[in-house]
Amino acid sequence: MKRQEIADNWTLRLMRGNEFVSTEEKLPVHIPGTVYSTLLEAGRMPDPYVGDNELRVLPLMDNEFIFETAFELGEEMLSADALTLVFHGIDTLGEIFLNGIALGETDNMHRTWSFDISAVASRENTLRVNLHSPTAYIAAANRQNPVGGTSDAMDGFPQLRKAHCMFGWDWGQRLPDAGIFRKVEVIAHHNADISQVSFYQEHIKTGRGVHGYIIPEVRLHVTTQVSVYEEGEPVTLGSHEDLRRKGFAVEAELVSPDGAVYHMEGKRRGRITDEDGGTGVQQMIRVPDPRLWWPNGSGDQPLYTARVKLVEQATGDVIDVVEKRIGLRILTVNQDEMPDGGKNFAFKINGAPIFAMGANYVPQDNILPRVTRQRTEKLLREAVWANYNLIRVWGGGYYPDDDFYDLCDELGLIVWQDFMFACANYELTDAFEETVLAEITDNVRRIRHHACLGLWCGNNEVESQTIDGAWKPTLKQKADYIKIFEYRIPRLLSREDPDTCYWPSSPSSGGNFDAPQAENVGDVHYWEVWHAGKPFTEYRKHTFRFLSEFGFQSFPCLATIRTFAEDRDLNIFSRVMEMHQRNTAANGKLMQYLSETYLYPKNFEMVLYATQLMQADAIRYGVEHLRRNRGICMGSLVWQFNDISPVASWSGIDSLGNRKALHYAEKRMFAPIMISCREEGEITQMPFPNMQPRLVRCTFMLHVANETQDPVNASVRWSLRDAASAEVRSGSEEVQVLPYDGRWINGGEALDAMDIDQHEVHLEYVLEIAGREVSRGTTLFCAPKYYMFRDPHLSVSIEGEEAVVRSDAFAKGVCIMDGDRPAVLSDNFFDMEAGERRIRLECRPENKLRAISTYDIAG
């Protein structure tokens, strides 16, 4: 098999003129390339993220587009038994022409599209791709047969198999780009090639240890399908005997991380089964003393290279090779019955149940060619930095590039992979079923070998919203839901990837419209905090089995806002700021929460800062509570990890890669070994001073969580301190916490603080192991706006590779700023007592550092 990429000499032409480009102009394109990326690179279109430019560039998508190139094929390619033209990502409605001859059409950006060009290709070739308007298509289709979906996106968006969020979402603009967003190539097939490979791991368990199963050997079963070409048509060979008769053999081997090579043994029928009943060729490789793959925080991520070769027996020549990197592991989802009548929902890795910690990933940009491996790696390394062990690929975007999954393998990030359906009804027709099943087959075969893959999920919120009638589903669409997500997709997965857990929807209790938001079964999306305006403490009323979505908004830093707003726009209720707030009326909601939490901010920068502190605190309340209930709850995934564009949103990392306060808080709250506090006081019992007078109990409970493979022997120290950091009372306790467990100090009894003034005294607590601090925190017993902070007179200087912060008093939410953005440090947005704190610089600052704290919000 030979491959030739078609990346150069492309041009783009618009079929109808507009304010940016005339119909006569041909703009140069490098593939991957799209309409928006091409016009931006040519300087022919304003940045859609600036001001209200979105409204100017959206009409571009009412147009029709022609992408065209010329390329040559050499003799080796032209002499092949068959030639295939492959589009690995085309968005979306295309007509493909080679040398003036129509090859076919495309209508699904999530698929890989292949066209036989054996009878059409020549030495010199012209390739033309006509792309039709996505906006005109969904409007026409929706007039003919309306299909409902979220009002944050353009009407009719479910009609097209295209990233739904490109049509808008409650965190992203309406920029439904069009183009060729992955590579295009010609593949020459000579005699035979490998059409697909799958792996099944058989782990030989001899017992259970502290860290999970004891596994002295793994047997890797490799199943290969080979296609031979007869008169230009591929014919699948399903057995060793078929291969031998055609003069071919398959050889499989596995290379360990240290270079040791393990060879195949055995020849059996395989596990791959096509619709027509054909099977593949299976071989088995024994791996003694395997190095197991673990998620981040639980162990290492050794990766083996599986290599499958197709050999011509007469000559010994290798005519095709497939290589895949795999991790040896057992990754399941435990759904056993629980004593309370519910069911567990816990990821288990190599026999060890882990508490899933992470967030929801959305597309990194509306303009997909800008999503590079380098950019993705930087983002995913931020997940590891913040102690994530799992990331959910949300179902309203697109299936990420191979780089994404390769990096998750390397970094130890389990992937919860949604299929691309979200917040909509879907009308099942023969054509829709055909393209959706082809889409899922393409992506399952592309992704299934990855060590990181932990779960396939049918959709985002479609089950719960179908029950609720959110988008007014017809009776047929309700029935279609069951057919698609509880029959056709699981049936396909039973053939293509039977070893990975399939979950029909998120949230769900397992399907069949059976209470998808039940707290004691499956996963839950909880939005009472934020959408319903409930206080942060509301999280403590719930112990979900698995909380896969919950979130709280904030604004990005001023440096990010200045990329889209002018000075005159720096008011959260300005038109431009509200254009970059896609959740209706959410800026007002932020001010509502701010009024309950902090004193009135003195300027725009303090508004931004205060919202970030609120966001971090809201999520901390939820995560720490759920980790204290480990065993009942086994996962918390924050909404959301990243941004698609510069907006106010629920993200912890903004679109420019700046860490918000939330991301720093996640590093602390997701730490494998963590101390947290459950306080009682004014903040939980009497949050408003004009409530009916009552006795307010002031107590606190401290808890140590251990999400590691080893027992923890630690010291807990706590101090009640006043605003000047003077100690009022203190205590300590030695604790031992078993692996993958948690423990309350003081036997789980609350410690009394009834004698303090809650407006002048706070709690500091520290966890140390062998004299080394591993986790700390502080707690107020009242809202920050009521606490009598003193001016800490913060100062910050650089000494070598450290920022040194000095304070004269207790300072909460200390943020070290580098100009208009938070400095990039090993910690930021932290609390500190009077004295000195040293923090490692992770990036040299561009400006003189300065420090702010909660005291400065109104001061």
Side-chain angles (χ1 to χ4, degrees):
M1 180 186 291
K2 302 293 182 183
R3 298 173 181 269
Q4 179 177 324
E5 190 168 348
I6 312 300
D8 300 322
N9 304 315
W10 287 84
T11 60
L12 165 66
R13 184 160 59 92
L14 277 63
M15 295 298 290
R16 293 195 302 274
N18 55 72
E19 64 173 303
F20 307 121
V21 185
S22 71
T23 57
E24 291 77 26
E25 290 183 272
K26 288 188 175 183
L27 299 176
V29 184
H30 183 82
I31 301 299
T34 63
V35 174
Y36 284 155
S37 72
T38 300
L39 269 61
L40 279 170
E41 289 171 10
R44 305 304 297 274
M45 180 183 104
D47 187 332
Y49 296 158
V50 172
D52 61 359
N53 286 343
E54 169 196 356
L55 302 177
R56 292 181 62 195
V57 304
L58 175 59
L60 275 169
M61 288 302 117
D62 295 335
N63 220 309
E64 308 282 314
F65 314 97
I66 296 177
F67 286 80
E68 195 167 18
T69 189
F71 64 95
E72 294 185 356
L73 293 175
E75 187 57 36
E76 186 178 15
M77 300 290 286
L78 292 171
S79 63
D81 293 304
L83 285 173
T84 306
L85 175 65
V86 181
F87 291 83
H88 291 275
I90 183 167
D91 181 12
T92 293
L93 295 163
E95 295 176 297
I96 316 301
F97 298 86
L98 185 66
N99 300 328
I101 297 173
L103 300 179
E105 299 180 352
T106 67
D107 60 3
N108 185 334
M109 77 170 284
H110 305 304
R111 290 180 59 177
T112 298
W113 292 90
S114 300
F115 302 95
D116 183 2
I117 60 171
S118 305
V120 181
S122 61
R123 183 171 298 278
E124 296 182 352
N125 301 275
T126 299
L127 176 59
R128 189 175 87 244
V129 177
N130 294 353
L131 288 178
H132 301 298
S133 165
T135 50
Y137 177 89
I138 63 170
N142 220 45
R143 284 193 296 270
Q144 183 175 350
N145 182 26
V147 177
T150 175
S151 59
D152 294 306
M154 298 176 72
D155 291 345
F157 75 89
Q159 304 277 2
L160 187 59
R161 294 306 297 153
K162 175 179 172 67
H164 289 345
C165 64
M166 285 184 162
F167 293 105
W169 218 258
D170 58 1
W171 38 259
Q173 284 93 339
R174 298 183 180 99
L175 296 169
D177 201 2
I180 303 169
F181 66 96
R182 289 186 179 134
K183 69 179 179 181
V184 182
E185 62 181 348
V186 175
I187 300 177
H189 307 274
H190 293 273
N191 298 325
D193 50 40
I194 298 169
S195 52
Q196 64 163 313
V197 176
S198 72
F199 306 97
Y200 165 65
Q201 299 180 24
E202 180 185 0
H203 290 248
I204 308 305
K205 301 184 285 286
T206 59
R208 179 182 286 277
V210 174
H211 303 161
Y213 297 129
I214 298 171
I215 302 174
E217 179 181 280
V218 172
R219 298 170 186 172
L220 180 67
H221 300 269
V222 185
T223 305
T224 308
Q225 276 192 351
V226 174
S227 295
V228 297
Y229 291 85
E230 298 178 353
E231 297 181 359
E233 294 296 325
V235 177
T236 299
L237 303 182
S239 69
H240 285 279
E241 291 72 22
D242 291 342
L243 281 171
R244 182 178 51 79
R245 283 194 295 269
K246 294 293 184 180
F248 302 107
V250 170
E251 298 177 358
E253 62 186 24
L254 188 70
V255 183
S256 73
D258 59 8
V261 181
Y262 303 96
H263 296 282
M264 65 185 184
E265 58 181 72
K267 299 179 178 180
R268 294 191 292 268
R269 299 282 287 182
R271 290 162 52 88
I272 294 177
T273 304
D274 282 340
E275 290 281 8
D276 62 7
T279 57
V281 175
Q282 189 180 68
Q283 294 152 323
M284 189 260 283
I285 301 172
R286 295 180 187 270
V287 186
D289 301 318
R291 295 179 59 190
L292 299 182
W293 185 93
W294 293 88
N296 179 43
S298 294
D300 297 329
Q301 295 81 43
L303 295 173
Y304 290 70
T305 299
R307 184 178 297 123
V308 181
K309 295 181 283 189
L310 180 61
V311 178
E312 194 167 34
Q313 289 182 313
T315 63
D317 292 342
V318 176
I319 59 176
D320 198 10
V321 179
V322 170
E323 286 191 0
K324 304 284 187 183
R325 287 194 312 170
I326 66 170
L328 302 180
R329 88 291 187 269
I330 304 172
L331 183 48
T332 59
V333 179
N334 177 11
Q335 298 178 54
D336 293 344
E337 298 284 341
M338 295 284 280
D340 63 1
K343 289 184 178 181
N344 207 337
F345 196 91
F347 284 86
K348 290 181 70 175
I349 180 73
N350 304 323
I354 62 166
F355 190 97
M357 300 181 288
N360 289 261
Y361 168 90
V362 302
Q364 293 163 245
D365 205 313
N366 270 297
I367 302 169
L368 296 183
R370 303 199 296 203
V371 182
T372 62
R373 180 186 173 92
Q374 181 181 20
R375 186 173 172 185
T376 299
E377 181 172 3
K378 183 177 185 295
L379 180 65
L380 292 178
R381 287 195 179 278
E382 287 285 2
V384 173
W385 182 89
N387 294 307
Y388 290 17
N389 59 23
L390 190 147
I391 195 162
R392 176 187 174 218
V393 178
W394 170 77
Y398 73 118
Y399 303 92
D401 296 343
D402 293 339
D403 291 337
F404 177 92
Y405 303 99
D406 289 340
L407 289 163
C408 288
D409 287 344
E410 296 169 11
L411 298 172
L413 295 169
I414 296 171
V415 173
W416 168 316
Q417 177 67 59
D418 281 8
F419 293 118
M420 293 300 121
F421 305 87
C423 300
N425 303 322
Y426 295 93
E427 185 83 15
L428 185 60
T429 63
D430 290 344
F432 185 82
E433 179 177 4
E434 179 183 1
T435 195
V436 161
L437 294 182
E439 162 195 326
I440 293 173
T441 300
D442 285 347
N443 286 286
V444 169
R445 290 181 180 180
R446 180 170 68 93
I447 299 168
R448 65 187 174 191
H449 70 279
H450 283 279
C452 63
L453 180 62
L455 178 144
W456 297 110
C457 181
N459 61 74
N460 175 75
E461 297 183 349
V462 180
E463 180 185 10
S464 58
Q465 292 173 351
T466 299
I467 294 175
D468 295 342
W471 320 122
K472 298 180 173 56
T474 64
L475 289 176
K476 178 183 180 300
Q477 288 165 355
K478 291 180 179 179
D480 287 347
Y481 173 88
I482 297 292
K483 293 175 186 175
I484 296 169
F485 299 107
E486 300 189 18
Y487 177 65
R488 290 303 285 132
I489 292 177
R491 182 183 175 195
L492 184 153
L493 288 172
S494 70
R495 180 179 73 250
E496 294 291 342
D497 188 17
D499 304 314
T500 302
C501 175
Y502 173 69
W503 193 241
S505 184
S506 181
S508 183
S509 295
N512 202 32
F513 297 142
D514 182 14
Q517 285 279 36
E519 293 190 13
N520 66 342
V521 182
D523 73 310
V524 169
H525 294 185
Y526 179 77
W527 284 102
E528 293 298 296
V529 177
W530 181 253
H531 284 309
K534 297 288 182 68
F536 306 162
T537 52
E538 196 76 7
Y539 288 118
R540 295 179 179 175
K541 298 179 180 179
H542 306 275
T543 49
F544 312 100
R545 287 292 186 255
F546 195 105
L547 187 54
S548 51
E549 269 194 34
F550 66 116
F552 195 94
Q553 273 205 6
S554 71
F555 292 107
C557 64
L558 185 57
T560 298
I561 289 175
R562 288 194 182 280
T563 66
F564 65 77
E566 299 178 13
D567 286 347
R568 66 185 181 186
D569 303 316
L570 300 185
N571 181 302
I572 66 167
F573 298 115
S574 72
R575 185 170 187 274
V576 166
M577 288 296 293
E578 293 201 334
M579 281 287 296
H580 289 76
Q581 167 57 274
R582 311 304 293 202
N583 184 210
T584 304
N587 287 357
K589 189 181 296 291
L590 280 167
M591 293 304 290
Q592 171 204 324
Y593 273 106
L594 195 151
S595 73
E596 297 170 1
T597 311
Y598 294 109
L599 296 175
Y600 194 81
K602 64 185 178 184
N603 58 35
F604 184 71
E605 181 187 35
M606 288 298 115
V607 172
L608 309 182
Y609 167 66
T611 66
Q612 291 203 20
L613 292 182
M614 287 195 302
Q615 180 187 36
D617 218 26
I619 301 306
R620 178 187 64 80
Y621 264 85
V623 170
E624 290 183 350
H625 166 69
L626 295 176
R627 289 193 67 182
R628 291 194 291 264
N629 286 275
R630 190 193 197 283
I632 299 173
C633 177
M634 288 300 290
S636 61
L637 303 182
V638 178
W639 185 271
Q640 62 202 72
F641 179 30
N642 62 300
D643 275 330
I644 196 171
S645 60
V647 290
S649 79
W650 298 269
S651 72
I653 300 281
D654 74 24
S655 64
L656 299 187
N658 294 305
R659 297 169 182 167
K660 295 183 181 178
L662 170 60
H663 199 62
Y664 283 100
E666 285 175 331
K667 183 182 182 183
R668 297 187 286 267
M669 70 182 79
F670 287 151
I673 302 169
M674 179 203 67
I675 187 170
S676 67
C677 176
R678 180 186 175 109
E679 81 289 348
E680 287 291 337
E682 229 183 52
I683 198 166
T684 56
Q685 300 167 51
M686 195 172 175
F688 303 106
N690 56 357
M691 295 175 70
Q692 186 75 24
R694 68 191 73 182
L695 175 67
V696 176
R697 293 200 57 80
C698 186
T699 63
F700 61 93
M701 301 171 67
L702 297 175
H703 180 274
V704 179
N706 178 18
E707 201 60 32
T708 75
Q709 296 185 358
D710 301 309
V712 166
N713 293 289
S715 300
V716 172
R717 293 187 294 103
W718 59 265
S719 301
L720 290 166
R721 297 180 181 274
D722 66 19
S725 289
E727 187 176 282
V728 175
R729 189 165 71 252
S730 65
S732 64
E733 183 176 326
E734 302 298 309
V735 296
Q736 183 179 64
V737 189
L738 297 175
Y740 299 114
D741 204 352
R743 181 175 171 182
W744 293 96
I745 75 160
N746 198 40
E749 295 295 321
L751 292 159
D752 195 286
M754 288 292 290
D755 58 330
I756 68 167
D757 184 334
Q758 298 181 41
H759 305 127
E760 295 189 358
V761 176
H762 64 277
L763 175 70
E764 176 197 33
Y765 42 93
V766 180
L767 181 71
E768 294 179 342
I769 298 177
R772 182 178 63 88
E773 181 182 305
V774 296
S775 181
R776 69 158 45 237
T778 63
T779 290
L780 301 182
F781 297 97
C782 64
K785 65 180 179 178
Y786 298 142
Y787 190 81
M788 304 303 291
F789 289 104
R790 298 189 184 182
D791 187 346
H793 299 109
L794 291 172
S795 66
V796 57
S797 60
I798 295 177
E799 296 182 11
E801 297 301 313
E802 293 180 322
V804 182
V805 187
R806 295 177 177 87
S807 177
D808 291 343
F810 171 54
K812 188 168 182 61
V814 175
C815 178
I816 302 171
M817 296 293 293
D818 178 6
D820 288 339
R821 60 168 49 86
V824 183
L825 305 166
S826 59
D827 197 11
N828 211 344
F829 296 93
F830 52 83
D831 301 346
M832 68 178 291
E833 300 297 337
E836 179 181 285
R837 176 107 188 256
R838 291 177 175 267
I839 306 106
R840 189 178 71 257
L841 296 170
E842 293 188 350
C843 183
R844 298 299 298 185
E846 299 177 2
N847 305 277
K848 180 178 173 59
L849 297 181
R850 58 189 174 94
I852 57 176
S853 73
T854 302
Y855 179 84
D856 298 297
I857 291 176

